[in-house]
Amino acid sequence: MTLIDAAALTRRRASDPGAITRAWKDRRRSERPADGRLLIVAADHPARGALGVRDNARAMASRADLLERLAVALRRPGVDGVLGTADILEDLLLSGLLEGKVVVGSMNRGGLQGAEFEFDDRWTGYDAETLAGNGLDGGKMLTRICLEDEDTARVLESTGAAVTALSKRGLMAMVEPFLSVRVAPDRVRNVLDPDSVIKSIQIAAGLGATSAHTWLKLPVVDDMHRVLDSTTLPSLLLGGDPVGDPDQIYRQWADALEHPTAVGLVIGRALLYPADNDVAKAVDIAAGLVHQQATQVGVA
């Protein structure tokens, strides 16, 4: 059964572009889950030119296939929302899949994967005014910190300004920080040892004129409980490129979610492109980890 009619989306976009504005206005907004935790599906990778999953460099190249996988995920119980760029979110919107969901817009997509300007990660996506005007719930900022690259200073300044702008509108400011290094002219690597992640958290937490609406999006690394001890900001755990044993990855998520600072997951490729290609199964496991765990960590 096909859940998304990609051809119909193209026809509607061509004949009635105003349908998107009307659909945002008419959309039923989300109500946060009673347990205070979130499972959000991430789908903003393509706009950075990052189409690969594991050893398939073109895994996300088909928009129809990606939308179909997103439709499967968003229809599963326990999935609270989605993170994406405007093009993907608007396809989901027109398909009726954002009703009652938490919707977070991706703000900076300028640092294209493999580019010599990758650290010059400019704001080429959503802005706070549009997020608020369309009734979205927040904005997400990738904030890679390279101490050897002068572009980092502009990224920090832009992230701080966006955090402030989102907070003034009462929207979630989702900051995804990394300490990063350039290991080749066309390759950037995020440094994922616990102390480097802790340092990135401390830098990110201080950005903006207030942290009242700041949430962090953090990688799952070794010694994760010590990492999470470094902040009081609500933190969502990310999945990254799903390499390795899926069961081991789930165990790592489950362990990290025992910490009270970890309030959910923001997962993209690991749920949308699981090793066995069973999207519904992967999403159901993640939903169980997020929402069943709440009673164990005392979240009301």
Side-chain angles (χ1 to χ4, degrees):
M1 175 182 175
T2 300
L3 302 176
I4 294 279
D5 188 340
L9 286 173
T10 298
R11 291 194 297 271
R12 191 172 185 191
R13 282 176 170 277
S15 64
D16 186 13
I20 291 172
T21 300
R22 296 194 302 273
W24 281 127
K25 181 179 179 181
D26 295 339
R27 182 180 75 95
R28 177 169 54 88
R29 298 285 299 275
S30 67
E31 293 183 8
R32 296 287 176 87
D35 61 16
R37 294 159 73 85
L38 292 173
L39 173 58
I40 295 177
V41 180
D44 60 345
H45 307 80
R48 197 178 290 282
L51 304 178
V53 182
R54 291 183 292 275
D55 58 354
N56 183 355
R58 296 184 295 277
M60 303 181 79
S62 168
R63 181 53 53 89
D65 179 65
L66 173 58
L67 291 173
E68 192 70 16
R69 292 169 184 270
L70 283 164
V72 171
L74 288 167
R75 288 163 65 114
R76 302 305 296 176
V79 175
D80 302 297
V82 63
L83 157 68
T85 47
D87 56 330
I88 291 177
L89 292 183
E90 288 162 1
D91 280 343
L92 297 174
L93 174 73
L94 293 175
S95 301
L97 290 166
L98 299 187
E99 295 302 307
K101 297 296 185 183
V102 174
V103 183
V104 179
S106 192
M107 301 180 77
N108 60 324
R109 297 281 90 186
L112 302 183
Q113 186 180 67
E116 65 177 17
F117 55 84
E118 186 164 349
F119 283 125
D120 187 2
D121 204 353
R122 302 190 183 197
W123 260 240
T124 56
Y126 276 110
D127 55 59
E129 181 179 5
T130 301
L131 291 168
N134 287 340
L136 279 72
D137 298 276
K140 174 249 182 174
M141 297 143 275
L142 177 61
T143 305
R144 290 176 292 190
I145 303 157
C146 180
L147 301 181
E148 293 80 34
D149 195 302
E150 65 181 13
D151 289 326
T152 292
R154 287 190 285 273
V155 171
L156 293 175
E157 181 181 31
S158 297
T159 300
V163 168
T164 301
L166 290 165
S167 295
K168 286 181 177 179
R169 294 163 171 84
L171 301 181
M172 175 195 295
M174 185 187 294
V175 184
E176 181 182 9
F178 293 99
L179 285 190
S180 304
V181 294
R182 185 176 292 281
V183 295
D186 61 348
R187 187 176 170 216
V188 164
R189 178 174 63 84
N190 297 325
V191 186
L192 297 178
D193 65 275
D195 289 327
S196 295
V197 176
I198 289 170
K199 182 180 286 189
S200 74
I201 287 171
Q202 303 291 355
I203 293 168
L207 297 173
T210 176
S211 63
H213 294 275
T214 300
W215 290 45
L216 299 176
K217 180 172 182 264
L218 301 176
V220 178
V221 299
D222 293 339
D223 207 1
M224 195 63 191
H225 283 240
R226 180 167 69 89
V227 171
L228 290 166
D229 279 342
S230 69
T231 184
T232 58
L233 297 180
S235 298
L236 299 165
L237 310 176
L238 64 92
D241 195 358
V243 296
D245 176 19
D247 289 336
Q248 176 62 25
I249 293 172
Y250 296 141
R251 285 192 292 270
Q252 290 174 334
W253 293 352
D255 178 68
L257 285 167
E258 292 181 359
H259 195 286
T261 301
V263 296
L265 300 172
V266 181
I267 309 293
R269 291 166 290 183
L271 298 187
L272 297 173
Y273 299 87
D276 63 2
N277 212 34
D278 190 338
V279 174
K281 176 185 173 183
V283 169
D284 289 348
I285 292 172
L289 293 175
V290 170
H291 293 298
Q292 292 179 18
Q293 200 77 18
T295 58
Q296 299 179 30
V297 297
V299 178

